[in-house]
Amino acid sequence: MEEDLPILTMENLLKKAGAKRVSESAKLQLQKILFQKITKITRKANNFSNHAGRKTIKKSDIELVIFE
Amino acid sequence: MEEDLPILTMENLLKKAGAKRVSESAKLQLQKILFQKITKITRKANNFSNHAGRKTIKKSDIELVIFE
């Protein structure tokens, strides 16, 4: 799953927030936290689409995760 | 900022959660939500590093965002 959120991307995102420098462990920590959040969101969205009798995740499934 | 979270990555992440198919608008919605979450996390981490008198974001800054 690491290939989905490259370490270089973590550095870019932190620098866009204003960081002058970013430690290696900070990049890894951001990557870890984002994976946790993404896993939670995508699993719930998949459950919601299954619950609606669909095999396709739609925009409304993602929205339901956020607004539940 | 879109180049940091490509649409294809959104599809991969949703499929890893078990989705058979993913609508285009679902991918865009996931991307939008992740950008919001990332912006919130990285801005706070940058504020915390500044508050500690540093110009380098460290692992502890990211952790503080999550545990605050």
Side-chain angles (χ1 to χ4, degrees), chain A residues 26-38:
Chain A
K27 296 175 210 172
L28 288 167
Q29 185 66 16
L30 179 61
Q31 189 188 48
K32 184 181 158 189
I33 284 162
L34 291 181
F35 277 136
Q36 289 170 352
K37 288 196 178 288
I38 289 168

Side-chain angles (χ1 to χ4, degrees), chain A residues 3-4 9 16-21 23 25-26 29 33-34 42 46 55-59 62-63 66, chain B residues 3-4 9 16-21 23 25-26 29 33 38 42 46 55-59 62-63 66:
Chain A
E3 72 274 15
D4 292 320
T9 297
K16 282 175 187 171
K20 296 272 181 305
R21 286 186 299 268
S23 78
S25 60
Q29 185 66 16
I33 284 162
L34 291 181
T42 56
N46 188 49
K55 289 182 173 176
T56 304
I57 293 187
K58 293 188 172 183
K59 181 181 178 181
I62 313 267
E63 287 172 337
I66 303 306
Chain B
E3 70 276 16
D4 292 320
T9 298
K16 282 175 186 170
K20 297 272 180 303
R21 287 187 297 268
S23 78
S25 59
Q29 186 66 16
I33 284 162
I38 288 168
T42 56
N46 188 49
K55 289 183 175 176
T56 304
I57 292 187
K58 293 188 172 182
K59 181 181 178 181
I62 314 267
E63 286 172 338
I66 304 305

Side-chain angles (χ1 to χ4, degrees), chain B residues 41-63:
Chain B
I41 293 169
T42 56
R43 281 192 188 157
K44 285 185 182 179
N46 188 49
N47 287 343
F48 291 151
S49 72
N50 291 339
H51 183 72
R54 283 184 273 102
K55 289 183 175 176
T56 304
I57 292 187
K58 293 188 172 182
K59 181 181 178 181
S60 61
D61 298 314
I62 314 267
E63 286 172 338

